[in-house]
Structure formats: C-alpha cells, structure tokens
Amino acid sequence: MRHLIIYAHPNSKSLNHQLLETVTERLRSANHEIEIRDLNQINFNPVLSLEDMQGQRMGKVADDVQTEQDFISWAEHITFIYPIWWTGMPALMKGYIDRVFSYGFAYRYDQGIQKGLLTGKKTVIINTHGKSHDEYERMGMDKALSLTSDQGIFLYSGFEIIQHFFFDQADRASSEDVEIWKEQIKNRY
C-alpha cells in the first residue's frame, strides 16, 4: 500500500516525532511504500495568498502546492501527525490544508451540493495535546475538535477516517504512557 505521512512539528526530539518514527518503522516493517512530508523540513509556505486564491478558481495551483497534491493523489493511505495547539492544528498544518486542499482538488460543488474528491483514500490522524480527556470532554472541546477537523476537513474532502488518536497530557506523559500510545499506533497499522 502507498502511505503518505504529513507531519508538522518543529522539534525533532518531540513526542510527535517519536510517533512519526513509530508509524514509519511499522510501515517499513510491513514493506509498504512510504513518503513523508515533514512540513517544517521542506519549509512549506502556509500562507494562502491572493494569487493562490485566484489560481484555484481557474484550476491552477503554485508548483509547491502541485507537488503536495501529487503526493496526495499517489497515496492510498494518508497519516496526519501534529499537536493540538490553542485548540487546533498548528498554523503550518492549517496553511497546508488551506493551500493544498483546494477547490477542484479536494472538493467541488455540483449544482450547489458539496462533493469530496479524495474518496477512496483512508486516513489516520494522530494528535497530542496537553489537557486531559476529561477536561476536553467537560469543555466540549472533544466534540469541537472532531467537528472542525474530522467533519470540516477530512470527511468533507472525502477521506475515510480509520482512526483519530488524541493522546492527552502529552507534555507530562510518562514513558509508560508513550509506550502504550506507540503500541496503539502499531496495532492500527
């Protein structure tokens, strides 16, 4: 299977990077084809410009966006790995979505009805966050995150969500917690 991993965290010593390595090692051990797009490492420009917007309306995208769209088109399974910062995805990942999941590529409207164009693609989303699951549930943030990312981005674009991991209290996770999370990830793949 062709796997694409889209990763956004600036620290190569972070928990998110450990989770990236876990996914990568698991996929390699099963002889899958893998491409990793480390958005910090490739210095992806997350700013959706007026030029981008005008080009999207004409079915044209910038070269860097076309490269990312080609990777997504190639992939059968896409894994997104990023932390939750300020109750959402990092600006770099959000900008990637803004620019790459463009009209005519990720979605379109047929007679006023929205249609996701990335159907047939499976996805796993791996997030870390600082608050506990209980705190997020009391605040309604668990539902908000699922609504804004799962419904508002991934399902909207046609993905089949296999699993969305939310690893909580990540800034103070014990080594035992991290090992449990890694095992959960390995079992998913």
Side-chain angles (χ1 to χ4, degrees), residues 22-163:
T22 300
V23 172
T24 303
E25 289 167 10
R26 178 71 175 126
L27 293 173
R28 283 196 177 121
S29 72
N31 295 314
H32 291 284
E33 293 180 67
I34 307 166
E35 289 290 340
I36 301 168
R37 303 304 288 164
D38 180 333
L39 302 183
N40 286 281
Q41 189 176 63
I42 66 171
N43 200 26
F44 184 79
N45 176 6
V47 179
L48 179 66
S49 68
L50 178 58
E51 183 179 350
D52 285 330
M53 293 171 73
Q54 290 170 337
Q56 287 176 3
R57 291 186 185 145
M58 297 183 303
K60 297 178 184 174
V61 294
D63 290 344
D64 62 334
V65 170
Q66 185 64 59
T67 297
E68 300 310 314
Q69 289 180 348
D70 290 345
F71 278 113
I72 291 170
S73 295
W74 166 86
E76 298 168 288
H77 190 286
I78 302 171
T79 300
F80 294 86
I81 304 173
Y82 57 90
I84 300 295
W85 288 341
W86 288 101
T87 69
M89 56 182 63
L92 185 56
M93 182 64 78
K94 178 62 169 73
Y96 180 92
I97 300 294
D98 288 347
R99 292 189 69 217
V100 176
F101 285 38
S102 60
Y103 183 83
F105 174 74
Y107 70 98
R108 73 169 183 250
Y109 293 99
D110 291 340
Q111 298 177 343
I113 299 171
Q114 183 275 333
K115 179 179 182 177
L117 300 177
L118 299 176
T119 56
K121 297 190 181 294
K122 298 178 184 334
T123 190
V124 170
I125 305 115
I126 300 172
N127 294 143
T128 58
H129 58 84
K131 290 196 177 292
S132 70
H133 288 304
D134 289 340
E135 288 175 286
Y136 266 31
E137 192 174 294
R138 277 195 308 273
M139 296 166 44
M141 195 57 62
D142 57 337
K143 291 179 181 71
L145 286 170
S146 291
L147 181 63
T148 57
S149 68
D150 294 2
Q151 294 288 327
I153 297 171
F154 301 114
L155 291 173
Y156 188 88
S157 298
F159 283 104
E160 176 188 346
I161 299 173
I162 303 302
Q163 185 153 6

